[in-house]
Amino acid sequence: MAEEHPLRELEAWIGEARSRDLPQPASVAFVTASPDGQPSARTVTLKRFEPEALLFTSALWTRKAREIEANPRVSLLFHWPALGRQAHVAGEAELAERSLAVELFAERDPLHRFQTVVSRQGEPIEDLAPLRDRLAHLAQVQETPPACPEDWGAVRVRPQAVELWAEADDRLHERRLFERDGEAWSLTLLSP
């Protein structure tokens, strides 16, 4: 049954993907744009839902974080081919409060926390071997995973529009466009 709130339905779709053991059910293409409008996409993992927002994490030195600071408009694309579904979210991103970054960092797998300390994601390197050696060393000698680095943050995306697409055998796919209308959402059915 379709939900009246697009984020609740998106949450249900991710839950269904998890229940069917689909790989990476919360993976999403996260698209930002540079100040001059050049788009940039990467695959990330949705960390959590809030009532009116989606939460992600990021190192604050990355291109993604710099582009969000310069242009907060973002686009997200979830795709579950096995379910015949995709969801497109357009909205605005902002850096969330530090306490949330710390909380979400603590939820990361310990090896992922070590990796965050070892690697400056997106920075040029000569070779992966020294990073792998340092990661293995830290994993062996550290009794506890590291605390959340100061340059690690949580990103909150507040959707302005959400399109939920469901595949149909006759190619007349269902496309429902939810658009924010003040505190509520309006719904428009789109032709496939």
Side-chain angles (χ1 to χ4, degrees):
M1 178 173 157
E3 297 281 344
E4 292 183 17
H5 193 292
L7 295 186
R8 300 301 71 80
E9 187 157 0
L10 177 57
E11 195 170 11
W13 283 11
I14 290 173
E16 184 177 346
R18 278 192 179 107
S19 72
R20 292 190 184 192
D21 292 325
L22 297 182
Q24 306 300 319
S27 287
V28 57
F30 192 113
V31 182
T32 56
S34 68
D36 67 354
Q38 178 64 45
S40 175
R42 76 282 295 148
T43 303
V44 300
T45 301
L46 173 69
K47 298 301 180 192
R48 189 183 292 172
F49 283 92
E50 288 184 331
E52 296 297 330
L54 305 168
L55 296 175
F56 300 88
T57 57
S58 178
L60 301 180
W61 66 81
T62 61
R63 178 177 57 196
K64 173 178 60 215
R66 290 190 312 268
E67 289 179 350
I68 287 169
E69 185 177 2
N71 176 2
R73 293 187 182 119
V74 299
S75 186
L76 311 172
L77 183 64
F78 294 88
H79 187 212
W80 306 275
L83 298 179
R85 291 181 182 155
Q86 65 181 359
H88 175 244
V89 178
E92 292 203 4
E94 64 185 11
L95 194 60
E97 57 276 12
R98 175 73 183 153
S99 60
L100 183 58
V102 170
E103 181 182 326
L104 292 173
F105 190 82
E107 293 176 1
R108 291 170 64 91
D109 178 271
L111 189 62
H112 294 181
R113 287 187 264 171
F114 286 128
Q115 179 272 329
T116 301
V117 172
V118 168
S119 174
R120 297 281 297 180
Q121 182 184 18
E123 297 291 317
I125 60 171
E126 295 291 323
D127 187 8
L128 280 172
L131 296 178
R132 288 195 169 118
D133 290 345
R134 185 163 180 232
L135 180 62
H137 174 74
L138 283 178
Q140 276 187 332
V141 301
Q142 291 287 117
E143 292 184 15
T144 59
C148 183
E150 288 298 319
D151 55 4
W152 185 262
V155 176
R156 179 177 285 120
V157 175
R158 297 184 190 280
Q160 298 301 311
V162 178
E163 182 181 333
L164 300 175
W165 179 94
E167 187 175 38
D169 290 338
D170 62 3
R171 306 267 316 142
L172 294 177
H173 312 306
E174 181 182 76
R175 293 178 61 196
R176 290 176 291 134
L177 176 63
F178 292 83
E179 294 176 288
R180 181 162 298 287
D181 184 12
E183 295 299 312
W185 291 91
S186 65
L187 172 61
T188 305
L189 190 61
L190 302 176
S191 177

